[in-house]
Structures are given as C-alpha cells and as structure tokens.
Amino acid sequence: MSKNETPTKVIVPCRFSYLHCWEPEAINGGEPKYSVILSFDQEDEALYKKIQDAISECVEKAKNSMYAGKLPKNFKIVELKDGDEDYEKDGFAGQYTIKAASAYKPEVVKKAKVMGKVQLVPIENEEEFYSGCYGFASVTFYAYDTGVSKGVTCGLNSLLKSRDGEKLGGSG
C-alpha cells in the first residue's frame, strides 16, 4: 500500500440499484440522504476482501481510539450482504451488495471525448444515470458516534457510469 492510499477508501466496480443520487430520500423518518445499493459478482474475491479489510480497519480504529479497546454493545457495522439471501426477489443472485449513503450529493460522471481527449464529464440528465446501469463507485468506510448511534458505515463519494444496463424497477 502506498503512503497516499487510504485503506478505508475503495473503488467498487458495480451495478447501481435503488439509486437516489439526484434527490436525497428520507428512510423511516430519518435525515434525507443520497444513497445507492452497489452490487458486484461474488466471484470477485479480491474486491470482497478489500471491502472486508476496510470495514475491519475502521472497526479496529474505532475500538482502540474511540472506545478504549472495547466496542459498545449497540455498535453497528455496515453489512456486505449476500444477494442470494438478502435480495433474492430483486435479482441479485450471485452478487454481493452493500449500501452507500451520504448527506452530500455525490458527483456523477462519465468518460467522454472532449477536444480529442478522454475526460470525466458531469452527467446532468437523470435519464442517463439510473438504477440498472454499471460503473464504479468511490466509497469510504468510517466509524461514527452520534451519541445515540455508533458504528461503521459506508459513505458515498462519487459515481462513474461505464455502460448502460437493463433498467430496474423504481428507476427514474
């Protein structure tokens, strides 16, 4: 790992589902957030390990720096879910899924040729970026303690569309 690499930041090649990157959504009366479910092939063992390592790193940091070596009973850890079990009805068989969220609107981009050079350009048309398309998500795992709630979660940074896919139900 290089000196500049953060072990808790991960780039996830994935399919985007339950996409709320244009407007935040409040779940169960909570604070409105931008969010997305990221799904990737269960055969990608390297990516699975990278995500698990990032989560473990955050748990260890929290345990040692925030809680004097012992996690509180109500400490919640973001789950990397097995799509075969948790989302069977939604067509995630053979996939792992993880939810990423943020209070801040994520940057949504694609690659395009601009004056002969490939560059990242913003996607502003909601029809162009939807639940079901594929790309990459930049996420950061981090520990939090709001006084009421404590744990490790997956923060959403930015989204890069790489290709179209079949639109999933509920797409904008």
Side-chain angles (χ1 to χ4, degrees), residues 15 17-18 37 83 86-93 97 168-169:
R15 187 173 192 196
S17 306
Y18 297 94
I37 300 290
D86 294 304
Y87 291 102
E88 185 178 317
K89 65 178 174 45
D90 296 326
F92 290 107
T97 64
L168 300 173

Side-chain angles (χ1 to χ4, degrees), residues 22-41:
W22 303 110
E23 294 292 328
E25 179 182 68
I27 297 174
N28 298 329
E31 176 186 340
K33 290 190 176 193
Y34 297 93
S35 64
V36 62
I37 300 290
L38 311 173
S39 64
F40 65 93
D41 197 311

Side-chain angles (χ1 to χ4, degrees), residues 1-170:
M1 180 181 325
S2 73
K3 290 180 182 178
N4 296 329
E5 191 174 341
T6 305
T8 57
K9 183 176 181 182
V10 179
I11 303 298
V12 181
C14 60
R15 187 173 192 196
F16 305 107
S17 306
Y18 297 94
L19 183 64
H20 301 283
C21 68
W22 303 110
E23 294 292 328
E25 179 182 68
I27 297 174
N28 298 329
E31 176 186 340
K33 290 190 176 193
Y34 297 93
S35 64
V36 62
I37 300 290
L38 311 173
S39 64
F40 65 93
D41 197 311
Q42 287 180 352
E43 293 181 10
D44 192 340
E45 294 174 14
L47 179 57
Y48 179 84
K49 182 178 179 346
K50 194 173 200 176
I51 292 171
Q52 290 292 35
D53 289 349
I55 293 169
S56 295
E57 175 78 15
C58 290
V59 169
E60 283 303 308
K61 282 182 182 177
K63 182 168 82 173
N64 295 322
S65 66
M66 297 168 73
Y67 304 111
K70 186 175 180 184
L71 292 175
K73 290 179 187 175
N74 61 345
F75 195 82
K76 298 175 186 170
I77 301 172
V78 65
E79 290 182 68
L80 186 53
K81 295 183 177 184
D82 181 337
D84 293 335
E85 297 171 10
D86 294 304
Y87 291 102
E88 185 178 317
K89 65 178 174 45
D90 296 326
F92 290 107
Q95 303 285 304
Y96 285 118
T97 64
I98 192 161
K99 182 178 182 177
S102 175
Y104 303 99
K105 188 172 185 171
E107 184 177 27
V108 180
V109 297
K110 65 181 178 181
K111 289 182 179 180
K113 274 196 173 187
V114 178
M115 298 191 327
K117 292 185 178 184
V118 175
Q119 298 180 10
L120 296 179
V121 296
I123 296 176
E124 297 173 359
N125 180 350
E126 294 180 28
E127 293 295 318
E128 188 176 353
F129 194 79
Y130 51 87
S131 289
C133 66
Y134 294 84
F136 300 85
S138 170
V139 298
T140 302
F141 295 91
Y142 63 94
Y144 65 92
D145 184 337
T146 65
V148 176
S149 181
K150 302 162 181 46
V152 170
T153 194
C154 181
L156 177 59
N157 300 326
S158 57
L159 304 167
L160 168 68
K161 179 181 177 181
S162 62
R163 65 185 170 97
D164 286 316
E166 182 181 340
K167 283 189 177 185
L168 300 173

